[in-house]
């Protein structure tokens, strides 16, 4: 049996579409041997590695209401580092993920975060799970950075937004789900507002990183759903995000079958 590796990219709300491809793997009765994730991909990867199916993840997403979102949006007044503490998200994840450490997970998981001062990638695959997820989603100016063991950690997307390279040697078939989406100018106002300008500039740099990596080594199966003009925090558009991704499912399943049948 071939070993499958699944790399889940970061992209905020767009990362919800990764659930659709996990559902496709469930339908094919395929289970990864290893998972890697950055930012939102770290969250989805942790759910998957803990034993949650794609269908269960979709039901959870649909059940998240205003009360849950209110708990997760924990503003930090007068902070110089970020708008949100991030404790609300951490508590929500602790309620949904039944394990506290990487070692307890059903599937090996590698989470990417960034050492802010060293400007280097940090891959976490052992020890406490929640601090690793929390640091990987620490989008600059949105979530407060995580300070641990003398290091300051921020969003893994700053160094590796699509971390397929870190599991390349651990699998026979490597899948990478790129949820960076695309941006097109609005008809009435092509000039982005301040928030969109900051967030999109970060995403432009991430796209450059992925493009450079693809020139060196490509995953066996690369999927980039058509997620046009969906901003990083637009979780309210989850239904649209899932719908757009479903248009890529059949080609994805066809590719999967081809790789599984090839010796």
């Amino acid at each position: 049996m071939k070993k499958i590796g699944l790399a889940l990219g970061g992209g905020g709300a767009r990362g919800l579409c990764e659930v659709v491809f996990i559902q496709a793997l469930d339908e094919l009765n395929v289970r990864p041997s290893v998972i890697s994730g950055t930012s939102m991909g770290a969250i989805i990867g942790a759910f998957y590695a803990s034993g949650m199916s794609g269908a269960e993840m979709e039901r959870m997403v649909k059940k998240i209401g205003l009360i849950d979102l209110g708990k997760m949006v924990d503003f930090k007044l007068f902070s110089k580092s970020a708008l949100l503490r991030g404790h609300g998200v951490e508590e929500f994840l602790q309620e949904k993920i039944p394990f506290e450490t990487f070692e307890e997970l059903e599937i090996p998981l590698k989470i990417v975060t960034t050492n802010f001062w060293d400007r280097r990638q940090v891959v976490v695959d052992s020890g406490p799970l929640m601090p690793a997820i929390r640091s990987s989603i620490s989008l600059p100016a949105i979530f407060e950075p995580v300070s641990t063991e003398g290091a300051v950690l921020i969003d893994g997307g700053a160094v590796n937004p699509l971390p397929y390279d870190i599991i390349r040697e651990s699998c026979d078939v490597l899948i990478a789900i790129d949820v960076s989406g695309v941006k097109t100018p609005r008809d009435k106002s092509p000039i982005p507002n301040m928030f969109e300008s900051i967030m999109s500039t970060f995403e432009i740099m991430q796209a450059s990183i992925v493009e450079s990596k693809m020139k060196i080594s490509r995953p066996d199966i690369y999927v980039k759903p058509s997620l046009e003009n969906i901003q990083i925090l637009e979780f309210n558009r989850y239904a649209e995000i899932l719908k757009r991704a479903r248009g890529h499912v059949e080609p994805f399943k066809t590719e999967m079958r081809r790789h599984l049948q090839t010796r």
Side-chain angles (χ1 to χ4, degrees), residues 77-118:
L77 299 177
F78 311 114
S79 171
K80 295 181 180 179
S81 60
L83 292 174
L84 307 177
R85 292 185 181 90
H87 298 325
V89 172
E90 195 169 335
E91 290 173 4
F92 173 80
L93 294 174
Q94 285 174 331
E95 290 177 4
K96 303 297 182 182
I97 298 174
F99 304 120
E100 295 183 359
T101 67
F102 281 87
E103 288 77 9
E104 295 173 88
L105 296 173
E106 296 182 8
I107 304 173
L109 173 67
K110 295 179 182 290
I111 288 178
V112 176
T113 184
T114 303
N115 187 314
F116 180 82
W117 293 112
D118 286 354

Side-chain angles (χ1 to χ4, degrees), residues 147-158:
S147 181
T148 176
E149 299 180 358
V152 176
L153 303 178
I154 63 168
D155 196 302

Side-chain angles (χ1 to χ4, degrees), residues 4-249:
I4 307 299
L6 176 64
L8 302 172
R14 296 186 298 271
L16 294 174
C17 82
E18 292 166 340
V19 169
V20 170
F21 299 99
I22 291 173
Q23 289 176 348
L25 292 176
D26 292 342
E27 291 165 7
L28 292 171
N29 198 29
V30 170
R31 187 175 175 83
S33 298
V34 61
I35 302 169
S36 62
T38 292
S39 200
M40 191 62 186
I43 293 178
I44 300 296
F47 281 131
Y48 194 20
S50 70
M52 189 177 288
S53 70
E56 288 172 328
M57 280 186 245
E58 182 171 352
R59 285 195 293 270
M60 179 184 64
V61 169
K62 290 180 177 179
K63 285 182 180 178
I64 294 175
L66 293 177
I67 294 177
D68 295 305
L69 289 174
K71 291 179 180 178
M72 286 187 270
V73 180
D74 53 349
F75 288 103
K76 185 174 182 180
L77 299 177
F78 311 114
S79 171
K80 295 181 180 179
S81 60
L83 292 174
L84 307 177
R85 292 185 181 90
H87 298 325
V89 172
E90 195 169 335
E91 290 173 4
F92 173 80
L93 294 174
Q94 285 174 331
E95 290 177 4
K96 303 297 182 182
I97 298 174
F99 304 120
E100 295 183 359
T101 67
F102 281 87
E103 288 77 9
E104 295 173 88
L105 296 173
E106 296 182 8
I107 304 173
L109 173 67
K110 295 179 182 290
I111 288 178
V112 176
T113 184
T114 303
N115 187 314
F116 180 82
W117 293 112
D118 286 354
R119 301 179 180 181
R120 293 184 179 180
Q121 170 177 274
V122 177
V123 179
V124 188
D125 58 6
S126 63
L129 178 63
M130 209 50 59
I133 299 175
R134 173 65 184 79
S135 59
S136 186
I137 67 170
S138 294
L139 189 66
I142 302 298
F143 286 113
E144 191 176 46
V146 174
S147 181
T148 176
E149 299 180 358
V152 176
L153 303 178
I154 63 168
D155 196 302
V159 288
N160 198 346
L162 187 59
Y164 61 85
D165 53 308
I166 65 174
I167 58 172
R168 171 75 277 182
E169 301 304 318
S170 303
C171 59
D172 302 309
V173 180
L174 178 56
I175 305 165
I177 311 296
D178 184 347
V179 295
S180 58
V182 295
K183 294 283 186 181
T184 58
R186 292 182 293 269
D187 293 335
K188 294 182 179 179
S189 178
I191 304 299
N193 59 40
M194 182 173 65
F195 177 79
E196 185 178 5
S197 179
I198 294 171
M199 291 298 101
S200 293
T201 298
F202 185 68
E203 292 172 340
I204 289 169
M205 291 187 288
Q206 290 180 316
S208 296
I209 293 171
V210 173
E211 184 178 345
S212 296
K213 283 174 53 179
M214 294 281 277
K215 291 178 180 178
I216 299 171
S217 175
R218 295 180 63 90
D220 299 300
I221 299 176
Y222 173 74
V223 182
K224 185 176 180 179
S226 302
L227 303 171
E228 183 177 317
N229 291 339
I230 294 176
Q231 295 190 34
I232 202 164
L233 297 180
E234 290 188 317
F235 289 93
N236 58 303
R237 297 175 67 182
Y238 73 88
E240 178 186 352
I241 292 168
L242 297 179
K243 182 179 179 181
R244 290 192 189 188
R246 285 196 172 95
H248 298 263
V249 166

